């Protein structure tokens, strides 16, 4: 271990896929041109993080040994050359890395491109803010950037109580849309609490709920968060000239139901800017606009009540992977 604590930090290192994290000291990063150095307060845990750890996410490559963790909230402690949007002491949130060889947020510090960050919503704790970046950007890119959601539209969110889903419901409502959301029976009440009309997808066929809720016309916009058969169902639920968005477009799909409606489709790949360096500024802009919705009381994260420290990150990943999470899991690092 280094004898100078000012030059090191604690971090969790993954040495092999599906292995336990190793808590160790590593060199503390330095803010380079266009970067800010963030003291990390909290790191959100996404299902994607667990897949990356298991080596099961070929689309989210991350060479080992690696520090994982996509989402963060924390405080700026230094800024690199060319950074004018942030100063030391600012509280920020955003996606930092954990993919594509970029250091992740399961550490005490990270040097992050300033374009990826935004000021943290003032009415959220660090723990709450760390829950938002990936799911919020994913929902926003689909609804706003791809589908141009408008006031008065009818929107169906497939999986409305999930991570992306519960944010998509809130964003669509904030833009003035009328929202429905599919879920299993145990989560229907949560969907209703978010302000959407709940649909038990196991109790009704697509044709039945389209007939009941839209007089058979279909929904203006459908956001699929599950992929597979749910994406196929989305093609059947959209109206003529409508739009389907998916953040999980895996599988082989028949496009005829979409084509016969003259409807369109967009895919969302939120990691692309971090993997390619292209489009990072859009992430920061989305988070700035999302922060305004949060501060207006129109967007709030749903968190699992359990608390996890950096030393308990293995347990946090287990809680995400085993399906027991009742909301977003967050690892607390320096609250």
């Amino acid at each position: 271990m280094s004898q100078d604590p000012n030059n090191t930090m604690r971090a969790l290192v993954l040495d092999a896929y599906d292995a336990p994290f190793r808590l160790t000291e590593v060199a503390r990063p330095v803010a380079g041109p266009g970067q800010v150095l963030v003291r990390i307060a909290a790191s959100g845990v996404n299902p994607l993080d667990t897949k990356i750890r298991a080596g099961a996410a070929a689309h989210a490559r991350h060479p080992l040994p690696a520090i994982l963790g996509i989402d963060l909230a924390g405080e700026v402690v230094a800024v690199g050359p060319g950074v004018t949007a942030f100063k030391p002491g600012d509280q920020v949130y955003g996606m930092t890395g954990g993919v594509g060889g970029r250091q992740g947020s399961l550490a005490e510090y990270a040097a992050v491109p300033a374009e990826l960050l935004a000021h943290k919503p003032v009415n959220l704790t660090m723990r709450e803010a760390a829950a938002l970046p990936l799911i919020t950007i994913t929902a926003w890119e689909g609804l706003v950037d791809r589908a141009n959601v408008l006031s008065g539209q009818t929107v169906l969110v497939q999986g409305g109580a999930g991570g992306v889903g519960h944010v998509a419901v809130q964003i669509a409502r904030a833009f003035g849309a009328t929202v429905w959301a599919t879920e299993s029976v145990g989560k229907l009440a949560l969907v209703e609490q978010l302000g959407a009309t709940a649909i038990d997808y196991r109790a009704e066929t697509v044709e039945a709920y389209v007939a009941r809720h839209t007089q058979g016309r279909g929904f203006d916009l459908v956001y699929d968060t599950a992929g597979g058969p749910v994406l196929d169902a989305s093609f059947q639920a959209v109206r003529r000239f409508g739009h389907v968005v998916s953040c999980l477009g895996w599988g082989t799909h028949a496009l005829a139901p979409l084509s016969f409606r003259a409807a369109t489709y967009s895919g969302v790949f939120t990691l692309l800017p971090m993997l390619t360096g292209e489009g990072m500024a859009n992430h920061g802009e989305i988070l700035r606009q999302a922060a305004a919705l949060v501060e207006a009381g129109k967007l709030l994260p749903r968190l699992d009540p359990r608390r996890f420290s950096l030393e308990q990150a293995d347990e946090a990943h287990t809680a995400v992977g085993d399906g027991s999470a009742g909301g977003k899991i967050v690892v607390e690092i320096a609250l």
Side-chain angles (χ1 to χ4, degrees), residues 55-241:
H59 64 295
R61 301 171 303 278
H62 200 38
L64 301 181
I67 298 171
L68 302 189
I70 295 171
D71 291 337
L72 67 72
E75 181 179 316
V76 175
V77 294
V79 299
V83 174
T84 58
F86 302 102
K87 64 183 184 306
D90 285 350
Q91 295 186 333
V92 296
Y93 75 133
M95 292 169 57
T96 176
V99 297
R102 296 179 184 272
Q103 183 212 307
S105 55
L106 288 175
E108 291 180 319
Y109 294 86
V112 187
E115 290 180 315
L116 290 174
L117 300 174
H119 289 92
K120 178 185 75 65
V122 296
N123 56 330
L124 293 189
T125 65
M126 289 288 192
R127 180 169 173 261
E128 290 169 330
L132 281 175
L134 175 63
I135 57 178
T136 300
I137 293 169
T138 302
W140 191 287
E141 284 192 341
L143 288 170
V144 183
D145 293 351
R146 305 287 190 276
N148 188 32
V149 62
L150 298 171
S151 178
Q153 287 186 314
T154 57
V155 174
L156 174 66
V157 177
Q158 303 276 26
V164 174
H166 88 285
V167 172
V169 168
Q170 295 177 78
I171 291 174
R173 292 191 71 243
F175 274 74
T178 303
V179 185
W180 287 257
T182 59
E183 261 303 346
S184 55
V185 66
K187 298 178 180 177
L188 298 178
L190 173 60
V191 166
E192 296 280 353
Q193 290 168 16
L194 293 171
T197 299
I199 298 172
D200 182 351
Y201 70 91
R202 290 175 176 156
E204 283 187 289
T205 64
V206 177
E207 293 79 9
Y209 68 68
V210 166
R212 186 159 69 92
H213 295 289
T214 73
Q215 293 74 52
R217 289 191 298 271
F219 299 91
D220 295 323
L221 198 169
V222 182
Y223 197 128
D224 159 51
T225 69
V230 180
L231 181 52
D232 292 323
S234 300
F235 292 161
Q236 297 176 334
V238 71
R239 71 161 176 83
R240 293 172 185 166
F241 308 106

